[in-house]
Amino acid sequence: MSHPDGPRAALRTLLDGNRRFLSDEARGPNRGLDRIAALAGGQKPWAAILGCADSRVPLEILFDAGFGDIFVVRVAGNVASAEQIGSLEYAVVVLGTPLVMVLGHTGCGAVQAALADDPTPGRIPTLLHHIGAALEPGERDIDAAVAANVRHQLRTLRNDSHAMRTGIEAGTVGLVGAVVDTATGELTVLEASPGVRD
Ligand SMILES: [Zn+2]
């Protein structure tokens, strides 16, 4: 796999990887010991993805990628709270990663729990608070809520991260929101910052 240069090429590479996965043509690139050895001195991932912790959305498999390709941040409900924003900023500012994707998925349990708004134990309310803020009052539709949550986390990233905002304005960073269907592995892009999509 060649190293994509810039936000557009990075998004195209992600979409190509997902297409290979869907058509049973996954190559499992960059997964050997030689690749690990080549990366020992440093990493230069070409995409950073904020995904859900759900076991049904393993990102290297869905995008047919390997070691050193994608910088993965996973947390239930793919919420952009402070630690996640800091992690993505590390990718963008320190590692020079040109593309940031927020990836929701169908049937997300965290979004479902935020919709239900029932009492939850431990620290779960803290997590759900970040999703609840995304939802329209009275929303009942899980697919609409998943999409609204992705859009809300994108807004949070743009609003709370100076580095992200200036990167997008300069065209050096692309920001993309997408949803993956957990029944099929298929990806739908919801929105992208200007110039990122073909
Ligand atoms: Zn989820």
Side-chain angles (χ1 to χ4, degrees):
M1 181 190 280
S2 60
H3 193 284
D5 204 16
R8 284 167 67 96
L11 179 60
R12 211 175 308 125
T13 305
L14 280 180
L15 297 179
D16 285 348
N18 181 245
R19 235 170 271 132
R20 287 196 303 277
F21 170 72
L22 291 174
S23 52
D24 212 17
E25 288 170 1
R27 299 178 203 145
N30 298 335
R31 295 188 188 174
L33 292 172
D34 54 340
R35 176 67 168 173
I36 298 186
L39 291 166
Q43 58 169 330
K44 202 166 173 40
W46 43 266
I49 307 180
L50 174 59
C52 183
D54 193 301
S55 63
R56 296 168 294 179
V57 286
L59 301 185
E60 278 86 353
I61 298 177
L62 280 171
F63 292 112
D64 195 27
F67 290 103
D69 290 327
I70 56 180
F71 187 95
V72 172
V73 181
R74 286 176 68 181
V75 60
N78 42 271
V79 299
S81 56
E83 290 81 359
Q84 281 71 252
I85 295 173
S87 300
L88 295 170
E89 284 180 328
Y90 177 77
V92 166
V93 176
V94 179
L95 302 178
T97 304
L99 186 76
V100 176
M101 174 181 276
V102 176
L103 182 62
H105 67 98
T106 59
C108 182
V111 173
Q112 188 71 67
L115 271 181
D117 203 21
D118 293 329
T120 50
R123 300 295 179 95
I124 297 177
T126 311
L127 174 74
L128 298 186
H129 168 77
H130 291 288
I131 303 172
L135 305 178
E136 295 287 336
E139 179 67 77
R140 287 287 168 271
D141 183 67
I142 178 68
D143 290 334
V146 163
N149 182 49
V150 167
R151 293 184 195 279
H152 175 75
Q153 308 307 335
L154 287 172
R155 269 196 305 277
T156 303
L157 269 178
R158 269 192 306 261
N159 293 340
D160 291 6
S161 172
H162 178 74
M164 208 72 71
R165 222 168 34 247
T166 51
I168 292 167
E169 280 162 14
T172 53
V173 176
L175 188 59
V176 176
V179 172
V180 64
D181 187 328
T182 44
T184 64
E186 205 163 335
L187 196 83
T188 303
V189 174
L190 296 180
E191 64 175 76
S193 55
V196 175
R197 238 190 301 195
D198 286 325

